[in-house]
């Protein structure tokens, strides 16, 4: 978990260097992997809004989503850049393969940025299929995830032996993990 935290902090610093914004959407165009988890947490650490895009989506859907949401940047890999063919300007692409994950993690700026966040700030965007054929971005805030997590834990009485399958792209899993990181902040 420490390695995950350090890599997320390093990527968050890279995000801030590339686009020094707060509460703006940042797209994640990565397959479900440790790097998509790192990207989502890094975006949260940078005080921005993550939006996962399914790498199997047709280019037209991706373009529609990007036109609607206008992400500041898209985090992806060398291999997947060609899949974004014209969906977004090249200068708005962050290639995760080029991030130096061996640097020393700097947390001062991240802590300052996160301290200005409030529970009703946006956390992530989920793109629906859109009943009209046009995707719609649903914005979820931090408080709704905290409430959902608390109620779920109370109702379902989860324990360490539980295995949970989810269709939603990393949303519940990431927030629950992020909550754990925040609760262990002092250690």
């Amino acid at each position: 978990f420490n390695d995950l935290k350090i890599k997320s902090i390093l990527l968050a610093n890279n995000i801030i260097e590339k686009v020094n914004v707060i509460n703006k959407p940042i797209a994640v165009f990565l397959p479900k992997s440790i790097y998509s988890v790192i990207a989502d947490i890094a975006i949260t650490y940078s005080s921005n809004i993550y939006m996962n895009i399914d790498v199997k989506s047709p280019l037209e859907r991706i373009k529609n989503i990007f036109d609607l949401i206008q992400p500041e940047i898209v985090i992806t890999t060398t291999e997947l850049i060609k899949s974004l063919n014209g969906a977004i300007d090249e200068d708005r692409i962050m290639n995760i393969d080029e991030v130096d994950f061996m640097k020393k993690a700097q947390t001062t700026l991240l802590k300052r940025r996160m301290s200005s966040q409030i529970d009703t700030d946006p956390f992530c965007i989920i793109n629906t299929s859109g009943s009209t054929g046009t995707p719609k971005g649903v914005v979820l805030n931090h408080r709704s995830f905290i409430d959902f997590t608390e109620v779920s834990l109370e109702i379902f009485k989860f324990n360490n032996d539980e295995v949970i399958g989810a269709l939603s792209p990393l949303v519940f899993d990431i927030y629950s993990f992020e909550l754990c990181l925040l609760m262990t902040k002092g250690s």
Side-chain angles (χ1 to χ4, degrees):
F1 287 108
N2 191 50
D3 189 46
L4 174 63
K5 183 177 180 180
I6 290 168
K7 286 180 177 175
S8 298
I9 290 168
L10 286 167
L11 182 57
N13 286 313
N14 277 266
I15 291 167
I16 294 168
E17 285 174 22
K18 186 156 178 84
V19 289
N20 191 7
V21 296
I22 292 179
N23 282 335
K24 297 291 184 179
I26 296 178
V28 177
F29 189 68
L30 297 168
K32 290 183 183 183
S33 67
I34 188 62
Y35 288 106
S36 57
V37 174
I38 290 168
D40 287 350
I41 294 172
I43 293 165
T44 302
Y45 278 158
S46 75
S47 299
N48 286 292
I49 311 158
Y50 74 82
M51 176 179 69
N52 293 311
I53 305 294
D54 187 347
V55 297
K56 298 176 195 142
S57 294
L59 183 59
E60 196 59 37
R61 176 176 166 76
I62 295 169
K63 284 181 182 177
N64 287 340
I65 290 169
F66 288 171
D67 287 345
L68 174 69
I69 305 295
Q70 298 288 309
E72 294 293 315
I73 58 173
V74 178
I75 300 172
T76 191
T77 63
T78 303
E79 182 181 331
L80 290 172
I81 287 174
K82 62 183 172 283
S83 301
L84 294 173
N85 187 21
I88 195 157
D89 295 334
E90 280 186 38
D91 61 330
R92 292 175 51 199
I93 293 175
M94 176 178 276
N95 187 339
I96 200 166
D97 295 333
E98 296 174 356
V99 173
D100 182 0
F101 285 111
M102 302 308 287
K103 286 174 38 177
K104 184 174 178 351
Q106 301 295 325
T107 60
T108 308
L109 178 60
L110 300 181
K111 287 178 182 176
R112 192 174 18 191
R113 290 168 71 98
M114 288 178 70
S115 71
S116 69
Q117 296 277 269
I118 60 174
D119 61 350
T120 54
D121 281 339
F123 175 62
C124 71
I125 298 171
I126 299 174
N127 291 289
T128 67
S129 58
S131 58
T132 62
T134 302
K136 290 166 187 61
V138 178
V139 180
L140 304 169
N141 66 39
H142 292 270
R143 181 81 241 163
S144 63
F145 281 98
I146 292 167
D147 290 346
F148 178 76
T149 302
E150 288 175 351
V151 168
S152 295
L153 291 172
E154 184 180 312
I155 290 173
F156 298 112
K157 311 252 186 273
F158 294 121
N159 64 43
N160 291 339
D161 298 324
E162 302 293 337
V163 176
I164 301 171
L167 296 176
S168 184
L170 300 173
V171 174
F172 179 73
D173 299 331
I174 293 302
Y175 197 78
S176 297
F177 182 76
E178 180 63 20
L179 222 61
C180 292
L181 286 177
L182 292 174
M183 287 189 286
T184 61
K185 211 172 173 177
S187 56

